[in-house]
């Protein structure tokens, strides 16, 4: 363990921000769960979005092995951060250790997560309401981020999540309003210094920031503080100086 | 389980070939192992190559959690097949359930695996001989391949591996000879109908086929049968009609 500690760097605010962006920006991750038949760990690919508090969410079929696995034992892990060209180990990635919590269809959380997931993955509209599909929240307990050779950080789960806002309905209303406004996504991209050459749409808004999506690309603007209400966020994003 | 079987297609030779190519072509995979401290499954990214028999091999540091995990419990899983553009779930991928076997440095297998791994990942030369690095063979017990929506297949590990050839030294000699021949890689690409616009190098040769590598790209030519010796393979690849 002494050796292990030696290779870790001290976690600072830059590392925490990089970790949150890796999780928020992922379109998909590798999920590791424990196969209920064999006890082997099992890796599969899942589409991901995040809930208002930054907790990753997945939409999976009860017919799949990973769903049976998570229902039998919620201990799981996510790997986020995809390599581009060149050395795969030079690209930042993060491993989250999580507890999986199924989201019941009749709970308010379901409507919220459904809306946010579909804004991230519009094609999932085709199967999101099938009887055998369900959402899980994968609540991070701890994480280890590797920012490239010699840049490893250990983080507690609390570095990746914020409190679920009490006014969660208002946040969804704000998200719907932003989506209904012509050009809002590209206007906000300009306002927050995000590359305007994409045709952005609103991926989601939460107390810590705003996600813009364009095809396979996602960009996040972090507010730099936690907004105390959806109303405060609305004032902030429309009154920010250019 | 009845439901699970319903969504599986019958495995045919095309599926077996696709599965082998997914594993052989991977530069990296997601590894799932069981964290020795917490019992949680843990997903991380590893560079991969394959041994002569098609078994995936990894090179990892004793300082990393996944190495401690595999040494404590060899049950693990690999996810191969990376998405390109568009829907990540429309791209083929395969989950292998494996038993991890450390490769002792003083065994002949080590020299063979070291050579094949470095031909796949030349930059690993920088750390392959560090005292804290070691190879594992991850022997597939079973696999599930997902070729896109509604195209799922279950495969036994035996569909992914062949017998280790008795003349394994000759196979390495053949690989070294091919590497030393000017233009051999591009000549073989032409002979086997592989895109010649890349500048290929020899990634590896084994009784079932030949791997060519160019930067981030790998192409495999499967011989269509298992060569009984390195000599037979040499005759085959140099006498194949254009």
């Amino acid at each position: 363990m002494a050796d292990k500690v030696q290779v870790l760097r001290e976690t600072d605010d830059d590392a925490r921000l990089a970790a949150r962006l890796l999780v928020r920006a992922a379109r998909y991750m590798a999920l590791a769960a424990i196969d209920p038949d064999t006890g082997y760990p099992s890796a599969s690919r899942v589409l991901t979005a995040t809930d208002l508090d930054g907790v990753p969410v997945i939409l999976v079929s009860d017919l799949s092995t990973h769903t049976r696995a998570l229902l039998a034992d919620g201990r799981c892990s996510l790997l986020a951060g995809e390599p581009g060209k060149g050395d795969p180990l030079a690209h930042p990635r993060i491993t989250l250790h999580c507890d999986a919590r199924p989201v019941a269809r009749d709970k308010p959380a379901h409507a919220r997560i459904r809306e946010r997931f579909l804004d991230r993955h519009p094609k999932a509209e085709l199967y999101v309401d099938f009887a055998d599909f369900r959402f899980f929240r994968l609540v991070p307990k701890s994480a280890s981020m590797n920012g490239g050779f010699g840049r490893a950080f250990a983080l507690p789960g609390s570095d990746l999540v914020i409190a679920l806002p009490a006014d969660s309905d208002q946040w969804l209303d704000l998200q719907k309003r932003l989506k209904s406004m012509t050009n809002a996504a590209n206007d906000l991209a300009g306002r927050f210094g995000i590359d305007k050459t994409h045709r952005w749409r609103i991926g989601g808004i939460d107390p810590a920031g705003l996600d813009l999506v364009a095809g396979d690309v996602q960009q996040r603007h972090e507010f730099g503080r936690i907004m105390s209400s959806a109303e405060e966020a609305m004032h902030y994003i429309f009154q920010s100086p250019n």
Side-chain angles (χ1 to χ4, degrees), chain A:
Chain A
M1 291 301 289
D3 280 335
K4 193 184 162 202
V5 171
Q6 272 181 12
V7 297
L8 287 177
R9 291 204 182 180
E10 194 172 344
T11 305
D12 55 18
D13 283 345
D14 286 349
R16 286 183 199 100
L17 176 61
R20 289 196 301 268
L21 294 180
L22 274 173
V23 174
R24 293 276 195 179
R27 292 188 300 145
Y28 60 90
M29 303 188 199
L31 168 70
I34 297 174
D35 187 296
D37 299 324
T38 65
Y40 275 56
S42 186
S44 57
R45 178 162 300 135
V46 286
L47 296 182
T48 57
T50 52
D51 199 352
L52 277 177
D53 54 357
V55 166
V57 293
I58 60 173
L59 172 63
V60 286
S61 163
D62 285 351
L63 305 183
S64 69
T65 305
H66 51 215
T67 306
R68 290 196 303 122
L70 295 179
L71 290 173
D73 185 339
R75 295 179 298 172
C76 62
S77 173
L78 290 167
L79 171 66
E82 286 308 305
K85 296 257 170 207
D87 187 340
L89 297 189
H91 291 267
R93 67 271 184 197
I94 189 167
T95 296
L96 309 177
H97 293 126
C98 305
D99 288 328
R101 310 248 169 85
V103 178
R105 253 173 222 275
D106 55 355
K107 289 284 163 55
H110 189 274
R112 173 182 84 228
I113 289 169
R114 182 182 182 284
E115 182 90 12
R116 290 182 57 85
F117 194 90
L118 291 180
D119 282 346
R120 190 74 189 86
H121 303 289
K123 282 187 191 167
E125 182 90 47
L126 291 171
Y127 51 86
V128 63
D129 295 323
F130 285 0
D132 64 296
F133 273 78
R134 69 169 81 220
F135 286 105
F136 283 90
R137 278 170 47 95
L138 305 184
V139 182
K141 312 304 285 181
S142 65
S144 67
M145 179 170 66
N146 193 318
F149 290 110
R151 290 206 304 272
F153 301 90
L155 302 96
S158 56
D159 277 355
L160 290 157
V161 297
I162 56 176
L164 259 181
D167 60 339
S168 65
D169 287 353
Q170 267 91 68
W171 285 95
L172 272 206
D173 287 346
L174 173 56
Q175 184 158 324
K176 288 179 186 170
R177 273 181 63 189
L178 290 175
K179 286 192 297 181
S180 71
M181 294 165 65
T182 313
N183 290 328
N186 269 62
D187 288 347
L188 291 172
R191 203 171 283 237
F192 296 131
I194 292 172
D195 174 8
K196 285 184 74 175
T197 60
H198 289 284
R199 193 165 159 202
W200 296 108
R201 56 189 174 76
I202 302 291
I205 185 165
D206 59 78
L210 171 76
D211 296 312
L212 300 178
V213 181
D216 296 346
V217 182
Q218 174 156 329
Q219 283 281 340
R220 179 171 176 83
H221 170 72
E222 288 247 327
F223 299 140
R225 59 189 170 93
I226 306 299
M227 298 289 159
S228 62
S229 68
E231 198 180 339
E232 185 189 354
M234 191 184 68
H235 287 294
Y236 170 82
I237 62 178
F238 287 112
Q239 292 173 3
S240 261
N242 276 313

